[in-house]
Amino acid sequence: MKDEIIIAGFGGQGVLSMGKILAYAALENDLEVTWMPSYGPEQRGGTANVTVIISDEPISSPILDTYDTAVILNQQSLDKFESKVKPGGVLIYDPYGIHHAPTRTDITIVPVDAMEATIEMGQAKSYNMILLGALLKMRPDVPVEAVVRGLKKALPERHHHLIPANEAAIRKGMELVKE
Amino acid sequence: MKDNVKLMKGNEAIAMAAIRYGCDGYFGYPITPQSEVLETLEAQMPWETTGMVVLQAESEVASINMVYGGAATGKAVMTSSSSPGVSLMQEGISYLAASELPALIVNVMRGGPGLGTIHPSQSDYFQATKGGGHGDYHLIVLAPSTVQEMADFVSLGFDLAFKYRTPSMILADGVVGQMMEKVVLPEQRPRRTEEEIRRQCPWAVTGKDHGRTKRNIVTSLELDSAVMEKNNERFQRTYREIEKNEVRYEARYTEDADYLVVAFGSIARICMKAIEDARKEGVKVGLIRPITLWPFPYDAIREAAKNVKGILCVEINAGQMIEDVRLAVSDSVPVRHFGRMGGIVPNPNEILDALRRDFIDKPANAKED
């Protein structure tokens, strides 16, 4: 088992955090994992992406050119990474703010209305967790229970009261993926 | 999951390993991409547990001179920075070497020259291995490629520094500093007592008396050239000892290799993926990863190169280590460079393409340019 994942969007959307929570979940599940961020000097507004590799074997390169799975949060990242998904791979994206939808036919494209759902749920900050839910539905690399344990590791203790809300957002994201 | 397996960044691993080594003092100044070293130490507050001093100095120049002062008293002290900050430290590093003081310096390299970029690079190879500061000196230079090695090389760096009374350097880069992966931290060791320091470091300035009959003076100044030459000869004897005893490298798939990749630090593991992909296509490529950049594994590379048709040096710079690789093989086989600069890190496909372009796809009788 090996899943090479790119998560990409704007800084401030929770791209690096989503990857971090996934990485902690992989650790909880005794899998090998690397988390490699790439971002500019700005905290918000610039593009940010993170490569997360989950495998049951030791991982050599933490940096890749093509991916099994892409989670895309803005147009710039879609333009950059659509062509980098391996044939047969999965591309998850939020159509919110996307003007040119992905067009490839040799990969599974999964639109997830995460922004819409986050407004409906009234918790804007769990936007990234909805998309993580969609990712876990498409790629059950780790069980949701491990992700919740991962949240405990990734979040400072003062934020632990938010874990149920995050879990709800993850489950919402799983539901949003149409069978 | 085993309780002792942690997920953390390479920079965080350095900080945690320093506390657990029983390090006495850290002096540093923040700079991306290594700021997590100081941040982690401040968050851990080791001054309340082991008694380790953590101090944010006013500059890198101040940091390295605080290291000099701490090291002179026999304490295990360190600093960390990134490329422009390490340039500022070069005078102090030369003084440490000349005063035969043990210390650990960490450079998490970013793209240069100048203030450059915050993104990863390996363009300080020359500075780390060939001097950087003035005078005939060497640092022991360790190049980690995993977060585990970031942690392990803290104790190795300190142990070698004290064994040979010379500063050692961890030459990491923004990739291995910023990435997270699994790590097992060493057990907590107690800091050495004053008594142990006096016993293990009879050269240290530990205060008056304690039964010493002679004053200990730590200095790099010697105006008598005859004495200064003797000092230099002693430094050189130490360096020959280090070259004899401390060469470290990793060899992968070298037994049957037709082509050899030589790479250090984070790019070596990116090369490993390219090598695995090449082997799937039936092309036999091997890897030598120098772990000590000084002393450099000349013999291992010479040996591994005996039956290969070409060597590709992959570095995140314009080609620096390649000079040592060419020295190792005396140009008996073609040696080519592949690298990116300015903070761009090559991906495995680019490395495989470079291997194809320079060697695999070249007809065997093609003329060398």
Side-chain angles (χ1 to χ4, degrees):
Chain A
M1 172 271 177
K2 189 172 194 182
D3 196 3
E4 299 176 333
I5 307 163
I6 181 86
I7 307 168
F10 289 122
Q13 280 182 314
V15 167
L16 301 184
S17 305
M18 194 197 309
K20 193 178 264 190
I21 291 158
L22 189 61
Y24 275 107
L27 175 76
E28 286 290 321
N29 236 27
D30 275 330
L31 292 161
E32 296 300 321
V33 62
T34 59
W35 177 93
M36 180 67 214
S38 170
Y39 52 90
E42 61 281 82
Q43 283 204 312
R44 287 186 186 186
T47 57
N49 67 66
V50 60
T51 305
V52 178
I53 306 173
I54 300 174
S55 175
D56 48 19
E57 278 171 39
I59 299 162
S60 52
S61 177
I63 288 173
L64 302 165
D65 186 44
T66 55
Y67 308 90
D68 300 306
T69 312
V71 182
I72 301 297
L73 281 69
N74 67 9
Q75 185 72 55
Q76 288 95 320
S77 303
L78 184 60
D79 295 344
K80 186 170 175 188
F81 291 112
E82 182 182 355
S83 63
K84 305 281 188 188
V85 180
K86 294 180 206 168
V90 171
L91 189 159
I92 297 164
Y93 79 106
D94 184 352
Y96 184 86
I98 297 290
H99 310 295
H100 321 286
T103 54
R104 279 179 64 181
T105 52
D106 60 339
I107 58 174
T108 307
I109 292 172
V110 186
V112 177
D113 292 314
M115 187 59 84
E116 213 174 276
T118 202
I119 293 164
E120 232 170 69
M121 293 173 82
Q123 44 182 69
K125 283 184 179 168
S126 50
Y127 175 63
N128 59 347
M129 291 299 97
I130 293 177
L131 286 156
L132 178 60
L135 170 65
L136 292 172
K137 175 80 181 205
M138 293 304 298
R139 295 285 195 201
D141 301 327
V142 285
V144 179
E145 294 69 35
V147 177
V148 174
R149 288 202 303 277
L151 271 166
K152 281 188 188 138
K153 292 262 171 85
L155 291 175
E157 213 154 297
R158 65 181 189 279
H159 291 149
H160 278 192
H161 67 282
L162 297 170
I163 289 173
N166 279 292
E167 189 179 349
I170 290 169
R171 295 200 185 275
K172 178 74 184 175
M174 297 179 92
E175 285 166 23
L176 284 176
V177 175
K178 294 160 192 88
E179 291 297 332
Chain B
M1 188 199 69
K2 290 184 210 86
D3 269 352
N4 61 342
V5 181
K6 307 281 182 206
L7 184 69
M8 62 175 70
K9 289 185 175 188
N11 289 336
E12 295 166 341
I14 285 200
M16 298 303 289
I19 298 170
R20 289 175 177 231
Y21 178 76
C23 176
D24 294 301
Y26 171 95
F27 311 93
Y29 188 81
I31 180 172
T32 307
Q34 69 75 53
S35 295
E36 293 90 351
V37 180
L38 179 54
E39 281 171 17
T40 305
L41 287 169
E42 295 283 3
Q44 292 291 320
M45 302 195 287
W47 52 91
E48 293 192 350
T49 51
T50 68
M52 175 185 176
V53 171
V54 180
L55 199 144
Q56 179 174 333
E58 70 269 33
S59 72
E60 290 85 349
V61 177
S63 307
I64 195 70
N65 284 293
M66 288 173 182
V67 166
Y68 185 100
T73 66
K75 302 279 186 186
V77 289
M78 67 181 289
T79 184
S80 67
S81 189
S82 181
S83 308
V86 177
S87 289
L88 284 167
M89 292 182 184
Q90 290 306 320
E91 180 197 45
I93 292 173
S94 169
Y95 280 42
L96 279 161
S99 305
E100 297 172 281
L101 292 178
L104 179 64
I105 300 138
V106 181
N107 181 0
V108 184
M109 289 180 280
R110 60 189 247 177
L115 206 47
T117 161
I118 62 168
H119 293 116
S121 171
Q122 297 183 318
S123 51
D124 305 345
Y125 178 90
F126 283 150
Q127 184 192 58
T129 61
K130 310 293 178 195
H134 58 282
D136 277 318
Y137 78 93
H138 280 292
L139 302 174
I140 297 169
V141 183
L142 304 167
S145 76
T146 62
V147 172
Q148 186 64 53
E149 284 186 342
M150 288 288 258
D152 295 346
F153 290 179
V154 170
S155 37
L156 179 61
F158 269 126
D159 287 347
L160 292 176
F162 274 93
K163 183 175 177 190
Y164 294 102
R165 281 185 63 187
T166 186
S168 62
M169 174 176 273
I170 296 177
L171 191 68
D173 60 65
V175 174
V176 73
Q178 290 292 321
M179 72 178 286
M180 291 203 302
E181 65 182 342
K182 286 186 186 179
V183 59
V184 177
L185 294 172
E187 293 293 314
Q188 179 67 55
R189 292 184 4 177
R191 287 172 50 237
R192 286 177 307 160
T193 63
E194 299 293 332
E195 195 45 52
E196 286 168 324
I197 290 174
R198 276 194 288 274
R199 203 169 50 243
Q200 290 165 18
C201 309
W203 46 266
V205 282
T206 49
K208 204 163 170 255
D209 232 350
H210 306 302
R212 265 194 282 110
T213 51
K214 205 170 125 269
R215 281 186 306 165
N216 279 347
I217 298 172
V218 174
T219 180
S220 65
L221 179 70
E222 180 49 68
L223 293 175
D224 184 338
S225 291
V227 178
M228 194 60 200
E229 186 176 47
K230 287 269 176 264
N231 289 352
N232 267 280
E233 284 166 358
R234 190 173 65 247
F235 306 155
Q236 294 303 319
R237 279 197 298 276
T238 301
Y239 299 145
R240 297 298 87 76
E241 274 297 296
I242 296 170
E243 285 171 339
K244 205 169 70 193
N245 302 334
E246 306 300 345
V247 172
R248 288 168 169 79
Y249 64 92
E250 181 189 12
R252 304 278 294 272
Y253 300 123
T254 48
E255 304 81 14
D256 65 343
D258 288 324
Y259 307 98
L260 188 65
V261 170
V262 184
F264 70 94
S266 63
I267 195 70
R269 57 190 290 170
I270 300 173
C271 288
M272 245 345 270
K273 168 111 174 157
I275 289 168
E276 282 158 8
D277 290 347
R279 284 193 167 252
K280 277 181 207 153
E281 295 174 16
V283 183
K284 290 173 183 161
V285 186
L287 173 81
I288 294 269
R289 175 173 73 92
I291 292 171
T292 48
L293 301 182
W294 195 89
F296 192 76
Y298 293 106
D299 292 343
I301 290 171
R302 191 177 304 122
E303 199 55 38
K306 273 190 178 149
N307 299 310
V308 304
K309 297 174 199 159
I311 300 176
L312 188 70
C313 278
V314 184
E315 306 175 61
I316 317 176
N317 60 36
Q320 299 192 10
M321 180 187 65
I322 189 171
E323 294 191 0
D324 284 316
V325 174
R326 290 182 63 187
L327 275 177
V329 299
S330 311
D331 285 333
S332 58
V333 281
V335 182
R336 293 283 177 272
H337 161 78
F338 177 71
R340 300 287 303 265
M341 294 172 285
I344 305 283
V345 181
N347 66 50
N349 286 347
E350 289 177 85
I351 296 164
L352 190 51
D353 283 348
L355 266 170
R356 287 201 187 98
R357 188 171 59 238
D358 284 344
F359 298 116
I360 300 167
D361 294 345
K362 249 189 184 171
N365 57 355
K367 264 214 164 125
E368 280 303 319
D369 43 38

